[in-house]
């Protein structure tokens, strides 16, 4: 079984050949261009054909996705890509079944299989990156909700009077611990850099012992625990994983996160749930999309 998983992001596109068990065999990256989306899709097709015979395609993309019909309704990172019938396009060009889902759902499904080995039937993945996303698996099945909009974990309100979020609400989890939120915490702690500041730069400083940088990740961890505590109380999952770029800083997050989580979640579900950083935080979107195509 040769599958193709594609992760279409705002700056780059990962195209990967993936085995039926979710092992990434071969991959290439294309930069995202400003071209009309049709041109971008043509380039993707050319790359996929280089893999030879394939049996299915899965596409992971950030945004509002109609998973049933394989349509990208809207993507905040790709304003020109509205109502793109991805499933129809790929099936016509490649003549293999194609599934499309949003990146967090794909990451959750990939993590469910790679990290959880399908053993933890009630499963949540929280993606930590520019934005905060999530995917929910209930009884071994991806839960998409009534309109495909479930799992917007980043938009749990953690403070009704908090800062404005990109979604229009105030005080969402994402407004605190998405990339912009992390930088705001850093600025509040007086952490500045001439060359600019990013979550990775802050993490580097923290590992070198910079007190303010350590505090940034402590604060981050506290907010994260507030959001995750609600998830545990609502869903009572067997396992919860973190993926996305910022999860690479788990060493700076873990301790404060668990301390805070004990105050936020009920004891019984908290003792039950296994919480880890994904073993494969960077490629889960493409892997999960490919695996979803097999179902
Ligand atoms: Zn929001």
């Amino acid at each position: 079984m040769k599958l193709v998983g594609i992760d279409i992001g705002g700056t780059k596109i990962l195209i990967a050949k993936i085995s039926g068990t979710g092992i990434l065999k071969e991959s290439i990256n294309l930069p995202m261009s400003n071209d009309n989306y049709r041109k971008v899709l043509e380039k993707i097709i050319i790359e996929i054909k280089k893999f030879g015979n394939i049996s299915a395609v899965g596409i992971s993309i950030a945004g509002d996705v109609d998973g049933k019909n394989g349509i990208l309704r809207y993507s905040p990172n790709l304003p020109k890509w509205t109502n793109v019938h991805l499933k129809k396009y790929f099936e016509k060009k490649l003549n293999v079944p194609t599934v499309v889902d949003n990146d967090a759902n794909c990451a959750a499904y990939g993590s469910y299989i790679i990290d959880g080995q399908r053993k933890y039937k009630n499963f949540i993945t929280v993606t930590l990156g520019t934005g905060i996303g999530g995917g929910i698996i209930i009884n071994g099945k991806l839960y998409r909700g009534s309109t495909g909009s479930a799992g917007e974990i980043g938009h749990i309100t953690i403070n009704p009077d908090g800062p404005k979020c990109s979604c229009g609400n105030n005080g969402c989890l994402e407004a605190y611990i998405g990339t912009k939120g992390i930088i705001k915490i850093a600025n509040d702690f007086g952490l500045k850099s001439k060359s600019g500041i990013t979550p990775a730069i802050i993490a580097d400083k923290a590992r070198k012992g910079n007190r303010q940088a350590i505090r940034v990740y402590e604060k981050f961890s506290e907010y994260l625990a507030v959001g995750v505590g609600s998830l545990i109380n609502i869903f009572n999952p067997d396992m919860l994983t973190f993926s996305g770029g910022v999860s690479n800083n788990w060493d700076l997050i873990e301790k404060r996160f668990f301390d805070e989580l004990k105050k936020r979640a009920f004891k019984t579900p908290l003792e039950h749930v296994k919480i880890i950083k994904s073993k494969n935080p960077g490629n889960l979107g493409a892997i999960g999309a490919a695996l979803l195509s097999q179902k």
Side-chain angles (χ1 to χ4, degrees), residues 218-235:
E218 285 174 351
K219 206 72 208 157
F220 173 97
S221 309
E222 288 166 18
Y223 291 132
L224 180 62
V226 172
V228 169
S230 296
L231 293 179
I232 289 171
N233 290 348
I234 296 167
F235 289 101

Side-chain angles (χ1 to χ4, degrees), residues 154-155 165 167 169 172:
H155 302 282
C165 181
C167 73
N169 184 20
C172 291

Side-chain angles (χ1 to χ4, degrees), residues 43-56:
K43 283 186 204 158
I44 296 174
I45 297 288
I46 292 169
E47 294 303 328
I48 294 176
K49 284 186 173 165
K50 292 181 189 165
F51 290 148
N53 274 341
I54 55 160
S55 42

